[in-house]
């Protein structure tokens, strides 16, 4: 087998309609830190210490089209890991209470019979995020 040329995800870039709104969600709700930015682009970089996200503002948010995951090629959703059920439940309570979050899938097993759980939401600005447990219960 050929040696792998990559070693994981460096960062994920997300186009958003409103940088302040996106920063507030990731930092104030999820606890990410702002770790940089490019005001001329404009973009900000946020991280939870494991993943780095680049939040780019759409050139013209008024005329920008929302991504249709069933019709467009590209990022279907971004899944963020949580360590266990307790963390998933805490994330659900905090995120689902946000007034600009739209619930797509409430907490449930990943598939029938799975001990891993997840939920999916559309965050402010319309990006679809999944939160998923990483550990299988014994």
């Amino acid at each position: 087998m050929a040696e792998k040329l990559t070693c994981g995800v460096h960062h994920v870039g997300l186009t958003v309609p409103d940088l302040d709104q996106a920063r507030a969600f990731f930092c104030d709700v999820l606890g990410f830190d702002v770790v940089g930015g490019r005001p001329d682009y404009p973009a900000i970089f946020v991280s939870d210490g494991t993943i780095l996200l680049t939040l780019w503002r759409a050139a013209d948010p008024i005329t920008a089209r929302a991504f249709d995951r069933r019709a467009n090629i590209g990022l279907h959703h971004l899944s963020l890991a949580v360590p266990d059920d307790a963390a998933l439940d805490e994330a659900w309570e905090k995120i689902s209470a946000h007034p600009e979050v739209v619930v797509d899938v409430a907490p449930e097993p990943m598939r029938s019979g799975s001990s891993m759980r997840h939920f999916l939401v559309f965050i402010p600005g319309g990006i679809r995020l999944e939160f998923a447990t990483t550990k299988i219960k014994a």
Side-chain angles (χ1 to χ4, degrees):
M1 187 183 301
E3 186 174 325
K4 294 178 179 41
L5 295 177
T6 63
C7 60
V9 175
H10 181 272
H11 73 275
V12 175
L14 302 172
T15 302
V16 299
D18 184 317
L19 276 179
D20 290 332
Q21 180 187 54
R23 184 217 38 83
F25 181 80
F26 281 99
C27 296
D28 299 346
V29 177
L30 300 182
F32 279 53
D33 296 311
V34 174
V35 296
R38 283 195 45 202
D40 60 318
Y41 196 79
I44 59 171
F45 312 133
V46 297
S47 178
D48 68 358
T50 301
I51 189 169
L52 175 64
L53 299 178
T54 300
L55 305 173
W56 307 93
R57 192 193 74 215
D60 185 357
I62 302 297
T63 62
R65 290 178 290 155
F67 180 79
D68 180 343
R69 71 182 192 279
R70 292 187 173 100
N72 300 113
I73 303 299
L75 184 69
H76 184 269
H77 68 278
L78 174 62
S79 184
L80 299 175
V82 297
D84 54 33
D85 283 334
L88 186 80
D89 293 339
E90 181 181 349
W92 170 252
E93 291 298 319
K94 203 173 214 185
I95 294 163
S96 65
H98 191 286
E100 296 175 85
V101 164
V102 175
V103 173
D104 188 23
V105 175
E108 66 178 14
M110 289 283 246
R111 60 193 133 287
S112 180
S114 175
S115 62
M116 291 189 293
R117 295 172 54 227
H118 73 146
F119 67 86
L120 291 110
V121 295
F122 291 94
I123 65 168
I127 293 171
R128 189 172 186 238
L129 281 187
E130 177 181 36
F131 294 82
T133 58
T134 58
K135 296 185 178 164
I136 298 174
K137 287 188 255 180

